[in-house]
PDB file of all heavy atoms in Angstrom:
ATOM      1  N   VAL A1215     102.991  58.627  80.179  1.00 88.00           N
ATOM      2  CA  VAL A1215     102.962  60.059  79.868  1.00 88.00           C
ATOM      3  C   VAL A1215     103.725  60.331  78.582  1.00 88.00           C
ATOM      4  O   VAL A1215     103.274  61.093  77.693  1.00 88.00           O
ATOM      5  CB  VAL A1215     103.533  60.924  81.019  1.00 88.00           C
ATOM      6  CG1 VAL A1215     103.652  62.381  80.640  1.00 88.00           C
ATOM      7  CG2 VAL A1215     102.663  60.758  82.283  1.00 88.00           C
ATOM      8  N   ALA A1216     104.894  59.729  78.449  1.00 85.00           N
ATOM      9  CA  ALA A1216     105.695  59.906  77.252  1.00 85.00           C
ATOM     10  C   ALA A1216     104.989  59.434  75.996  1.00 85.00           C
ATOM     11  O   ALA A1216     105.033  60.074  74.919  1.00 85.00           O
ATOM     12  CB  ALA A1216     107.050  59.175  77.403  1.00 85.00           C
ATOM     13  N   ARG A1217     104.261  58.347  76.136  1.00 83.00           N
ATOM     14  CA  ARG A1217     103.508  57.857  74.972  1.00 83.00           C
ATOM     15  C   ARG A1217     102.374  58.813  74.614  1.00 83.00           C
ATOM     16  O   ARG A1217     102.090  59.046  73.428  1.00 83.00           O
ATOM     17  CB  ARG A1217     102.959  56.461  75.281  1.00 83.00           C
ATOM     18  CG  ARG A1217     102.260  55.834  74.097  1.00 83.00           C
ATOM     19  CD  ARG A1217     101.825  54.429  74.372  1.00 83.00           C
ATOM     20  NE  ARG A1217     101.238  53.766  73.184  1.00 83.00           N
ATOM     21  CZ  ARG A1217     100.872  52.509  73.135  1.00 83.00           C
ATOM     22  NH1 ARG A1217     101.019  51.716  74.189  1.00 83.00           N
ATOM     23  NH2 ARG A1217     100.336  52.023  72.042  1.00 83.00           N
ATOM     24  N   ALA A1218     101.755  59.353  75.633  1.00 85.00           N
ATOM     25  CA  ALA A1218     100.637  60.294  75.391  1.00 85.00           C
ATOM     26  C   ALA A1218     101.089  61.575  74.682  1.00 85.00           C
ATOM     27  O   ALA A1218     100.410  62.112  73.813  1.00 85.00           O
ATOM     28  CB  ALA A1218      99.923  60.611  76.688  1.00 85.00           C
ATOM     29  N   VAL A1219     102.258  62.080  75.086  1.00 80.00           N
ATOM     30  CA  VAL A1219     102.753  63.343  74.506  1.00 80.00           C
ATOM     31  C   VAL A1219     103.689  63.149  73.350  1.00 80.00           C
ATOM     32  O   VAL A1219     104.064  64.083  72.650  1.00 80.00           O
ATOM     33  CB  VAL A1219     103.426  64.215  75.596  1.00 80.00           C
ATOM     34  CG1 VAL A1219     102.465  64.516  76.717  1.00 80.00           C
ATOM     35  CG2 VAL A1219     104.698  63.549  76.114  1.00 80.00           C
ATOM     36  N   GLY A1220     104.154  61.883  73.130  1.00 78.00           N
ATOM     37  CA  GLY A1220     105.014  61.599  72.023  1.00 78.00           C
ATOM     38  C   GLY A1220     106.446  62.030  72.210  1.00 78.00           C
ATOM     39  O   GLY A1220     107.184  62.272  71.233  1.00 78.00           O
ATOM     40  N   ARG A1221     106.900  62.131  73.471  1.00 79.00           N
ATOM     41  CA  ARG A1221     108.253  62.601  73.780  1.00 79.00           C
ATOM     42  C   ARG A1221     108.930  61.725  74.839  1.00 79.00           C
ATOM     43  O   ARG A1221     108.468  61.696  75.967  1.00 79.00           O
ATOM     44  CB  ARG A1221     108.264  64.040  74.230  1.00 79.00           C
ATOM     45  CG  ARG A1221     107.887  65.057  73.153  1.00 79.00           C
ATOM     46  CD  ARG A1221     108.094  66.453  73.665  1.00 79.00           C
ATOM     47  NE  ARG A1221     109.489  66.675  74.015  1.00 79.00           N
ATOM     48  CZ  ARG A1221     109.934  67.658  74.797  1.00 79.00           C
ATOM     49  NH1 ARG A1221     109.063  68.506  75.329  1.00 79.00           N
ATOM     50  NH2 ARG A1221     111.216  67.808  75.050  1.00 79.00           N
ATOM     51  N   VAL A1222     109.979  61.019  74.447  1.00 80.00           N
ATOM     52  CA  VAL A1222     110.701  60.157  75.386  1.00 80.00           C
ATOM     53  C   VAL A1222     111.415  60.990  76.460  1.00 80.00           C
ATOM     54  O   VAL A1222     111.669  60.528  77.551  1.00 80.00           O
ATOM     55  CB  VAL A1222     111.706  59.276  74.615  1.00 80.00           C
ATOM     56  CG1 VAL A1222     112.510  58.397  75.556  1.00 80.00           C
ATOM     57  CG2 VAL A1222     111.004  58.417  73.593  1.00 80.00           C
TER      58      VAL A1222
END
Side-chain angles (χ1 to χ4, degrees):
V1215 174
R1217 184 173 185 177
V1219 301
R1221 291 187 61 197
V1222 178

